Amino acid sequence: MKAKAVIFDMDGTILNSLEDIAISSNIVLKEFNFPTHKIEDYKNFVGGGVQILLDNCTPKDISQELYKKVFERFKEVYENNVHNRTKPYEGIYELLKELKRREIKMGILSNKMHDFTLKYYEKFFMDFNMQEVHGQKSHIPKKPDPMGATLIAKSFNLEPSQILFVGDSDVDMQTAKAAGMISVGVAWGFRGIEELIEHGANHIVKTPIDILNLLE
């Protein structure tokens, strides 16, 4: 069946945001006198939303009260640094322009907080008129739960099997499988090809433009 829509993960898939996430996190960790981490370490900390990020980079024995303070402070710091170094990966704009030209429906489903997801979209992708843009919301389970992806499929009025779900992590491949979509792993992302294959990627693409071949 020919694919008629594409749902993208955000961080590590269409945007290289790792440095801003790492810098913001380390600023907060320093403020609370916690150990900081190398930027490369954050590749394995992200993907599950802010809570998983902070679970991974903060000490395991901090109190719930202190954790809440760290959480709120991270949101403040990250909001101020959200666009400083973040940029689309090479070839992403060319891909999106062609998808728009072909009238392929597009969406974003991220575990990033919804407000931040919208800010990124408005900053970098408004010109492409994506029909559905969703970050983490309190009333919808995070990926790899398929609910968010399934709701997007319904809004597109398409069967899940007609949709490419493009991401860079195990979470994305698991989401695609659970939703019944075609899972596409990107070789340029945070996690690497081995993780994508291990978690059932139907396809691996080396460049953004390669995604066009999966529509034909």
Side-chain angles (χ1 to χ4, degrees):
M1 184 179 294
K2 186 177 180 180
K4 296 183 178 179
V6 184
I7 299 174
F8 295 98
D9 168 54
M10 182 170 272
D11 298 300
T13 300
I14 56 177
L15 280 181
N16 187 351
S17 54
L18 188 70
E19 194 170 355
D20 278 333
I21 292 171
I23 290 172
S24 297
S25 299
N26 282 339
I27 287 172
V28 175
L29 293 173
K30 285 180 181 178
E31 289 182 1
F32 286 87
N33 295 314
F34 295 148
T36 57
H37 306 277
K38 297 177 181 177
I39 290 175
E40 285 293 306
D41 293 339
Y42 282 91
K43 287 184 176 180
N44 292 315
F45 293 170
V46 299
V50 176
Q51 183 175 348
I52 299 299
L53 166 66
L54 295 180
D55 286 348
N56 285 328
C57 71
T58 57
K60 305 304 179 187
D61 58 351
I62 65 173
S63 67
Q64 190 65 27
E65 182 180 358
L66 183 54
Y67 180 89
K68 289 179 181 178
K69 292 179 180 179
V70 173
F71 185 93
E72 293 302 320
R73 180 58 180 148
F74 173 81
K75 289 193 294 183
E76 293 174 357
V77 172
Y78 186 60
E79 185 168 14
N80 291 331
N81 288 282
V82 71
H83 305 315
N84 289 353
R85 298 166 183 82
T86 295
K87 60 183 180 180
Y89 285 100
E90 183 177 354
I92 289 295
Y93 280 156
E94 289 77 8
L95 168 65
L96 298 181
K97 286 176 184 176
E98 181 60 19
L99 291 174
K100 181 181 178 181
R101 187 189 71 80
R102 296 188 188 188
E103 299 183 343
I104 298 296
K105 294 179 179 179
M106 291 183 280
I108 291 173
L109 182 61
S110 175
N111 276 343
K112 183 186 290 296
M113 295 177 65
H114 185 61
D115 288 349
F116 289 140
T117 301
L118 291 180
K119 286 182 180 180
Y120 273 116
Y121 172 72
E122 291 166 2
K123 172 73 174 180
F124 295 108
F125 303 116
M126 279 287 286
D127 290 345
F128 302 102
N129 301 324
M130 293 187 180
Q131 289 89 345
E132 298 288 337
V133 179
H134 302 280
Q136 182 184 338
K137 302 174 183 177
S138 60
H139 62 288
I140 297 177
K142 295 186 299 182
K143 298 180 297 183
D145 189 287
M147 182 183 291
T150 300
L151 290 173
I152 292 176
K154 289 180 179 178
S155 75
F156 286 167
N157 197 28
L158 294 172
E159 293 297 321
S161 58
Q162 296 175 292
I163 299 174
L164 303 179
F165 195 102
V166 182
D168 74 308
S169 72
D170 56 342
V171 169
D172 297 311
M173 301 304 99
Q174 291 164 356
T175 303
K177 183 177 180 180
M181 297 178 180
I182 303 164
S183 56
V184 182
V186 303
W188 59 83
F190 295 162
R191 296 295 181 81
I193 294 175
E194 288 185 9
E195 178 174 306
L196 298 168
I197 294 173
E198 180 181 347
H199 289 88
N202 297 127
H203 303 279
I204 300 292
V205 290
K206 293 183 178 180
T207 70
I209 291 298
D210 292 340
I211 292 171
L212 297 176
N213 296 329
L214 304 178
L215 299 170
E216 300 171 352

